[in-house]
Amino acid sequence: MITFEPREHSIRADVGLLKEARDFADHAAADFGFDEEVRYQVKLAMSEAVTNAIQHGSASSRDEIRILAVEESGALVFEVVDTGRFRPRVTRRGELPESGRGLEFMRRLMDEVDLRPTTYGTLLRFVKRPA
């Protein structure tokens, strides 16, 4: 088993900084021992998570988005925390919203995805386990 040191990174809520978040996820996944395909999936999930945090969880580009990567029970876990308050979107049955499909996309790439409000903002947690 590879020893994985927890790491944290933060960026401002600016879409111009998305590459920084993707690179953070890629380096963590590489250090964890994932291959190129899984690293790509992790980068896509991180891109979606941070884009959501910027668009829906931030009042301004000065707001901070914190990203954490840790190992838990042999899996790589990422947490993305923004300063917003999560409110689930309600649509009529059978209606596809213009946006809001990112979480489902993440669920297809990752082994677990959990989105929940906290006392300090919204937490999006996603997990990737080795095959």
Side-chain angles (χ1 to χ4, degrees):
M1 176 76 189
I2 297 171
T3 302
F4 182 82
E5 294 295 322
R7 56 200 70 183
E8 190 170 344
H9 186 68
S10 65
I11 62 170
R12 288 184 337 276
D14 179 345
V15 292
L17 299 174
L18 271 173
K19 182 178 181 334
E20 224 178 282
R22 284 192 300 269
D23 288 347
F24 173 82
D26 184 41
H27 292 299
D31 290 349
F32 197 79
F34 284 126
D35 64 21
E36 289 288 327
E37 181 180 345
V38 173
R39 288 170 54 193
Y40 183 73
Q41 293 171 357
V42 167
K43 286 191 302 186
L44 282 175
M46 180 62 73
S47 188
E48 183 62 36
V50 173
T51 298
N52 284 343
I54 291 168
Q55 292 178 343
H56 306 294
S58 304
S60 85
S61 62
R62 293 184 307 271
D63 287 352
E64 180 183 52
I65 296 171
R66 291 184 307 117
I67 308 167
L68 176 71
V70 298
E71 181 274 330
E72 288 182 10
S73 303
L76 181 58
V77 178
F78 289 97
E79 293 184 352
V80 177
V81 181
D82 63 47
T83 58
R85 298 286 175 228
F86 173 70
R87 289 178 306 280
R89 205 178 291 205
V90 178
T91 60
R92 285 182 261 158
R93 187 180 189 125
E95 189 175 288
L96 284 176
E98 275 297 308
S99 63
R101 294 182 289 269
L103 284 174
E104 183 57 34
F105 178 63
M106 288 180 66
R107 286 185 178 104
R108 291 180 183 272
L109 295 172
M110 298 294 104
D111 295 308
E112 291 177 36
V113 176
D114 182 38
L115 178 66
R116 63 179 170 249
T118 69
T119 57
Y120 46 84
T122 300
L123 167 70
L124 176 59
R125 176 182 164 95
F126 56 98
V127 178
K128 190 66 172 178
R129 293 184 188 83

